[in-house]
Amino acid sequence: MSNQVKIFDTTLRDGEQALAASLSMKEKLQIAFALERLGVDIIEAGFPVSSPGDFQSVRSIAREIKNATVCGLSRALEKDIDACGEAMSVAEQFRIHTFIATSDIHVASKLRKSQDEVVEMAVKAIKHAGRYTDDIEFSCEDAGRTPIDYLCRMVESAINAGATTVNIPDTVGYTTPTEFGGIIQSLFNRVPNIDKAIISVHCHNDLGLAVANSLVAVEYGARQIECTINGIGERAGNCSLEEIAMILQTRQAMLGLNTNIRSQEISRTSKLVSQLCNMPVQANKAIVGANAFSHSSGIHQDGVLKAQNTYEIMTPESVGINKNNLNLTSRSGRHVIKHRLEELGYKTQDYDLDTLYASFVKLADKKGQVFDYDLEALLFFDKQKPADEHYKLLYLQASSGKEIIPSATVKLQVGDEEVIESCTGNGPVDAAYNAIIKVLGHEQLDIVDFKLDSKGEGADALAQVSVVVEYNGRRFNGIGLATDIVESGVKALIHVLNNTHLADQIDHQKKQQVQIAGV
Ligand code: KIV
Ligand code: ZN
C-alpha cells in the first residue's frame, strides 16, 4: 500500500456552507489559489446544483486551477451530477463527488427508502457520473452510524459501479478513535474489491475528535483525508487541515506517511481563510492560533532560549510564521514594502502595489511605525474592497462619553450625490449607523452580526469590524479597517451597502434579460 495520503480540502464546500454570509466568487477564487499553492491534492469547490452562484464559482475555479483536481459535490441524483459535470467541463482534471446516506436513521427517516433502494440509487448515480469523468468519489453519508454489514455491501457495490474513491464520513462527529479505526479496519478485512479504490475519511468535530479519527483511519489504511483550513465546517467543523498535515509531517518517522502539503504556506492560508470567511481563529488553536508558538512561563522561555526543541516540537518557520517583526515608517519606499511582503511569502499577484502603498503611507502617517501585521491587514483589506463604490464615506464625526448622548454626523457620496445626516444612538457606532440608515431612507437592513477585532498589538493597532447584514432575504458581509473603531464600523457598513447595491444591479439586469427573452 502506498504511503502517500491525499489531502482533499473542502473549505469551499463544507466550510463555506457553515458561514453566516456566502463568499463572493472572487473570494472563493482567492482561497482556491491559496489552496493550490499549499499543495492540496483535491479542492472541493462547491455544490453546483445548489445555486447559480455556486455553479459559476465552481466553473471559474475549475477553469483557473491547474495543479490540483477540482471537485464538485452532488446528491445521488442525475440533475445534481449533470450540474457538476457541466460546471467542471472546463477543467483540466476534475472529480465528481456523489453521496447518499446509509445509516438506518437517515435511510428510514430522511430518505424513506429501503436499504436495497439506496444501494440502487448509489450505483445508478456513480454510473451516471461515469459519463463525465473516470474520477468518481462516492460518500456513504453518516457512515459512522451505519451498520457495518450494510456499509461493507455499499462500499463493494460503489466500487463495482466505478467509484475510484470511497469516502467514509463521520457526518455527525459521533465515533471515537477506537470505533472509527475499527470501521476502517473492517472495511479492509471484509470488502473483497477494496484494493480497487482509495478509501477516504471525512470526520466532523462535534466531540472534538475529527483530527484523532482521521489519524487513526490512515493508520488503518485510508489514503485520503477530507479536511478544511482552520477546521471550519458544519456545526463544530471538520478535521483541521493544518493539524492533520502537521501531525503527519512532525511524526513522519513514526507514521511513515507523506502528503504533498507545503507546510510553509499554512499560516498565510489560515489567515486568508479566517479573514475572508469572517471566522476568527482562537488564540490557543494548534498550529495557527496566535499563541501556538509563544512561550509564556519563565521556565519555558529559558528552555527555548537554550535549545528550541526543549518546548517546541516543530518550528514556527515550518508553518510559515516569520518571527522577525520589522517596522516600517512613512519614509520606507515602495521597493521596501515589496521586498518585505516577499519575505513574508506574498507574491506580487497577491496585491496591487500602488493601492497598498497608498494605504501604507496613510497609515504610517497616523501610526508612525507600521509592523508586519499592519501590512498584512492592509493587504487583506485591499483584496476585499469592492471594485466599484456606489457609496463612499466623505466625512464622519462622532461623539460619545459618560453622561452624554452619543451622536454622529455622516456625509456619504451616493452615486453622484452628496448626502449628510446626523443621529443619536446608544453609542457612537449605533449613532453613525442610524445616520446612514437615514441617508438610505429605508430600513431594510437587518444587522445580524457585528464583530470588532484588533489586527495587531497595542492600543494604536488597526481595528477591523466585520458586519453581516440581512437584506431582502440574503446575507451580505462587509469589513472596515481603520485606527479609529467608529470609522472602521462605518466603513464595514458601507462595504455591505456597496455589496447589496451590486446584488440589486445584477438582479435588475437578470429581470431585464428575462423580460427581453419573453417579448
Ligand atoms: O459530512 C458529510 O457526510 C458530508 C458529505 C457530503 C461527504 O459532508
Ligand atoms: Zn461534512
Side-chain angles (χ1 to χ4, degrees), residues 166-275:
V166 178
N167 184 33
I168 307 299
D170 182 13
T171 302
V172 289
Y174 181 69
T175 61
T176 64
T178 311
E179 209 180 356
F180 197 63
I183 294 173
I184 304 300
Q185 189 181 34
S186 298
L187 291 174
F188 275 96
N189 288 338
R190 294 178 48 183
V191 175
N193 54 0
I194 195 107
D195 58 322
K196 304 277 181 313
I198 287 180
I199 295 302
S200 166
V201 289
H202 174 113
C203 299
H204 278 270
N205 205 30
D206 299 66
L207 294 173
L209 292 171
V211 174
N213 283 344
S214 305
L215 176 62
V216 81
V218 290
E219 290 182 299
Y220 279 109
R223 285 295 175 265
Q224 176 177 286
I225 296 176
E226 304 201 354
C227 44
T228 59
I229 300 293
N230 302 336
I232 66 170
E234 278 291 345
R235 306 179 307 281
N238 289 60
C239 170
S240 136
L241 186 152
E242 59 280 4
E243 290 179 26
I244 195 71
M246 287 314 287
I247 293 170
L248 298 181
Q249 181 167 314
T250 309
R251 304 307 309 274
Q252 207 283 339
M254 185 193 71
L255 296 165
L257 297 169
N258 304 315
T259 70
N260 287 325
I261 293 298
R262 287 186 273 276
S263 64
Q264 297 88 337
E265 293 290 331
I266 284 179
S267 170
R268 223 174 354 270
T269 315
S270 159
K271 284 183 194 160
L272 178 75
V273 169
S274 166
Q275 173 78 21

Side-chain angles (χ1 to χ4, degrees), residues 13-14 17 73 97 99 139 141-142 167 169-171 202 204 226:
R13 201 277 299 166
D14 213 319
Q17 80 197 31
L73 182 69
H97 176 192
F99 74 98
S139 282
E141 191 191 9
D142 205 15
N167 184 33
D170 182 13
T171 302
H202 174 113
H204 278 270
E226 304 201 354

Side-chain angles (χ1 to χ4, degrees), residues 302-331:
D302 177 58
V304 169
L305 286 176
K306 287 178 177 147
Q308 210 173 352
N309 63 0
T310 50
Y311 288 101
E312 272 183 9
I313 56 165
M314 58 200 153
T315 63
E317 291 76 18
S318 67
V319 297
I321 296 172
N322 191 321
K323 282 206 153 174
N324 307 325
N325 204 356
L326 204 77
N327 54 343
L328 306 152
T329 69
S330 55
R331 287 181 303 282

Side-chain angles (χ1 to χ4, degrees), residues 341-370:
L341 285 169
E342 238 167 62
E343 282 177 339
L344 293 173
Y346 294 96
K347 310 255 183 296
T348 42
Q349 64 266 33
D350 290 333
Y351 57 91
D352 177 75
L353 187 58
D354 290 339
T355 320
L356 184 67
Y357 190 67
S359 312
F360 161 77
V361 172
K362 270 193 209 153
L363 183 64
D365 279 343
K366 268 197 182 159
K367 277 190 75 184
Q369 291 180 326
V370 175

Side-chain angles (χ1 to χ4, degrees), residues 242-452:
E242 59 280 4
E243 290 179 26
I244 195 71
M246 287 314 287
I247 293 170
L248 298 181
Q249 181 167 314
T250 309
R251 304 307 309 274
Q252 207 283 339
M254 185 193 71
L255 296 165
L257 297 169
N258 304 315
T259 70
N260 287 325
I261 293 298
R262 287 186 273 276
S263 64
Q264 297 88 337
E265 293 290 331
I266 284 179
S267 170
R268 223 174 354 270
T269 315
S270 159
K271 284 183 194 160
L272 178 75
V273 169
S274 166
Q275 173 78 21
L276 298 187
C277 295
N278 191 11
M279 286 278 240
V281 173
Q282 79 198 50
N284 63 334
K285 162 98 172 58
I287 319 294
V288 291
N291 296 348
F293 292 93
S294 61
H295 303 276
S296 314
S297 95
I299 297 173
H300 288 205
Q301 287 170 349
D302 177 58
V304 169
L305 286 176
K306 287 178 177 147
Q308 210 173 352
N309 63 0
T310 50
Y311 288 101
E312 272 183 9
I313 56 165
M314 58 200 153
T315 63
E317 291 76 18
S318 67
V319 297
I321 296 172
N322 191 321
K323 282 206 153 174
N324 307 325
N325 204 356
L326 204 77
N327 54 343
L328 306 152
T329 69
S330 55
R331 287 181 303 282
S332 310
R334 293 157 56 95
H335 64 284
V336 176
I337 304 300
K338 189 167 165 238
H339 181 69
R340 185 61 194 149
L341 285 169
E342 238 167 62
E343 282 177 339
L344 293 173
Y346 294 96
K347 310 255 183 296
T348 42
Q349 64 266 33
D350 290 333
Y351 57 91
D352 177 75
L353 187 58
D354 290 339
T355 320
L356 184 67
Y357 190 67
S359 312
F360 161 77
V361 172
K362 270 193 209 153
L363 183 64
D365 279 343
K366 268 197 182 159
K367 277 190 75 184
Q369 291 180 326
V370 175
F371 297 93
D372 291 342
Y373 48 73
D374 294 314
L375 214 49
E376 284 189 310
L378 292 176
L379 185 147
F380 284 133
F381 181 66
D382 282 345
K383 269 177 189 275
Q384 285 179 275
K385 260 195 201 152
D388 185 21
E389 291 179 303
H390 181 71
Y391 297 93
K392 274 193 194 132
L393 177 64
L394 300 177
Y395 172 85
L396 166 69
Q397 184 263 316
S399 56
S400 69
K402 197 163 161 18
E403 310 301 336
I404 72 161
I405 296 172
S407 62
T409 300
V410 177
K411 186 172 171 189
L412 295 188
Q413 182 164 329
V414 184
D416 299 331
E417 249 186 275
E418 288 185 6
V419 191
I420 187 161
E421 286 291 355
S422 299
C423 246
T424 56
N426 64 14
V429 174
D430 188 46
Y433 277 26
N434 288 339
I436 293 174
I437 288 170
K438 244 177 157 183
V439 168
L440 299 176
H442 62 75
E443 293 199 17
Q444 286 173 31
L445 292 176
D446 183 11
I447 293 161
V448 291
D449 194 22
F450 180 100
K451 274 197 203 94
L452 172 63

